[in-house]
Amino acid sequence: MNATTPPEPGALQPLLPSDPSTIAGYRLLGRLGAGGMGVVYLGRTAAGELAAVKVTHADQADQPDFRARFRREVEAARRVSSPWAVPVTGADPDAPEPWMATAFVAGPSLGEAVTAYGPLPERSVRLLGWSVARALAAVHAAGLVHRDVKPGNVLLAVDGPRLIDFGIARSTGETALTATDMVVGTPGFLAPEQAEARTDAIGPPADVFALGCLLAYAATGRPPFGTGAVDALMYRTVHDEPDLTGVPEGLLDLVRACLAKDPAARPTAAEIGVRLVEDTPRDGAEWLPAPVVRTIAERSARMLALPEIDTTEGATAPAAPPKSRRGFLLLAGGAALAAGGGVTAWAALGGDGDGKKTPPPPRARRWTIGVQADLTGPGKDIGRAQERGVRLAVERFNARKDKPFTLDVKVSDDGGVRSRALAAARALTGDRDVLGIIGPTSDYTGYASLPAYDEARLPVITTSAGLNLLINPAASRGVSMVRACPTHSYASMFLTYYVEAKSRTVRPGILQERTDDSYSWQCAVSMKFAFGQAGIEALPRVIPVGAKRLEKVLGEMVDAGMDAYVHAGIAPSAIRAARELDALGFTGMRVAGQHVFGQEFLTGAGKAAEGWIVGAPVVDPATRKEAAAFTAAHRKAYGTDPAFYTGETYDVTNLLVEQVEKAAKGGGRPDRTTLAPLLRAAKSQGVMGGYTFEEDGNLSAVGTFVYAVENGRFKPLEFAPAGPPAKAEGT
């Protein structure tokens, strides 16, 4: 067995007497496969979640470069955010026997299904290609190349396929740890540049070539370059045309384009996904043939019926088992960010208290607050506002006469680019004087940088990244993260409750625009759920990347009786929606979320933006009397009023500094690995409001403020409600 390739699912073998019974909180139920480099077990958490747990042999771990390779595999898998890629649920590359756990998929691989039941029908091939293309688009967006897309690395589930195995994935352009003359990949499903070991030429187009081979295989039951000796396969891949006999006519042009010999002539993975989704009929039928669905059902039933197992020898001492992720339930609670009295963080940090003479502080030490932000990319306005908030808080602390130490600020600019995020994070985690991180600015740089922060157990507080995957205790992800803003899912529900409370909508339209697919999906699903709570049937529509057909779809929604419009997408498509709805004379409420809140929408939509309702995780400092001193300090330092996100970032920096001071115990070095739990348990009243957190690190309050566009500006209105209007009236 290749150590990085999971075995075919379904063939569960009993544990051997020498096998451990637990690995880091995973109860091992049996063997999924084994080879010279390690074993893959089926594991179960205390919450009942199944996982494929790969454990390498200790002698392998002692080999030069092995741990570096294994750690890179873990990081590569963690950097990919896609519903069509199997996620990592836990890992420890530094254990005596390094291990990694991924979500378990009970279905067969594509190779197993085609071998057992023959080629897939055209509709199944299209949906397979669409999902795998989206997974590869996420891989490439993370700055990676998978390099081994093949039938054995695509698992089939009832709700769609899953791409697995990042063992030989590489960052784009990376050649380290790989011999320049070594062919990497699976013959028959690799690109000409891989077959010729042209390392410098291997990039995302190589994965697209492999996807073309995969589609041809799924449609015909055979690889497009045949079978046989490896040398013959490699020669045909480089020099011969593929055999596409039997590929459905509607797929031929796309498959040929994927299999172009010239990498530059191939479409991107994102483009393939768009072409497939636009041309695939949506008739509501199962995406897989009945025999494959039955196989999945039978294997799922066997997994549910697994018996308890006897304790085996050599058990690894378990760590605390991962906790289940909280369900999709609205947590009750007051609006802790609402305006209110109390001592502000600014006042608490300033001066000598009761005026008594303060004893001299211990010998001065200088420690550092790290900032990871987008200072030069698409989110630079938010990133720069956040940096200013951190600097103001640190300057205020350093002005104290009784301070037990002095603070510095160290900034790492990720440019809003996912492929730069991990390096930006490591620039901070590698500095032992950095005690905590404020940031990152965006969802995906946050997700890509988490492995570094989790590994270092360095506390991270974000005021703008709402991606749900940033905190997932069940997957041992985000254990260092504290989120001082709502997730996109919760923010969208709160915004929907506002629509219900302020309008009499009976036919709201929800447009999901997939340029930022994870964000739009979270928004759309949550909005539909919230409307459903009130018995309101929404009118949902989905458009592909780049907002193609947006105007046509909006016209259809208006004709269908839409009386309120909710935009689950980003600013460029919201601008087009605003203009089109204005042209159509639509007068109903028009609503959008966090990724539309900004100057881009106001400038781009112009007069068509007037009247739009937009939710954001920030409050206007001008509405907060508690923020007067903070605002004055910002004007003095920067010559302007504070921008959105500056005040919230100032508050959470103060919160971090408070916990650092407590942990310092009069000037000693704080243990930075202990700060994240302290932050999660803290309650703080800042200049912008109050902050309390759930045990998992998510904000427990509402945190979604509503603005109306008026005269080209965002006019602050109020906090969105924390629950459906009917429930609010009954309390």
Side-chain angles (χ1 to χ4, degrees), residues 422-504:
L422 190 60
R426 293 208 183 282
L428 299 173
T429 60
D431 185 340
R432 64 188 302 267
D433 286 337
V434 172
L435 300 182
I437 307 298
I438 305 298
T441 301
S442 70
D443 292 337
Y444 305 109
T445 56
Y447 189 79
S449 62
L450 268 186
Y453 294 130
D454 282 349
E455 178 182 323
R457 293 297 190 267
L458 190 62
V460 186
I461 313 179
T462 182
T463 59
S464 54
L467 182 69
N468 60 344
L469 295 174
L470 287 173
I471 295 177
N472 188 354
S476 300
R477 280 298 302 264
V479 296
S480 298
M481 176 69 72
V482 178
R483 195 199 313 264
C485 61
T487 65
H488 297 313
S489 297
Y490 278 83
S492 299
M493 283 194 292
F494 301 151
L495 195 56
T496 305
Y497 298 147
Y498 182 86
V499 175
E500 295 172 9
K502 299 297 181 179
S503 73
R504 297 182 179 273

Side-chain angles (χ1 to χ4, degrees), residues 618-693:
V618 288
V619 180
D620 187 344
T623 66
R624 298 278 300 169
K625 64 180 183 298
E626 296 86 350
F630 157 73
T631 300
H634 191 282
R635 288 173 182 158
K636 181 178 179 181
Y638 299 106
T640 64
D641 286 340
F644 291 114
Y645 293 96
T646 307
E648 285 77 11
T649 308
Y650 170 82
D651 279 348
V652 299
T653 306
N654 284 331
L655 175 59
L656 174 59
V657 172
E658 289 170 8
Q659 302 310 310
V660 168
E661 188 171 3
K662 290 178 182 178
K665 298 178 181 179
R669 167 176 285 278
D671 181 354
R672 66 185 189 178
T673 67
T674 67
L675 292 175
L678 295 176
L679 287 166
R680 292 178 173 187
K683 295 181 180 179
S684 174
Q685 185 69 29
V687 301
M688 303 305 293
Y691 301 84
T692 58
F693 304 95

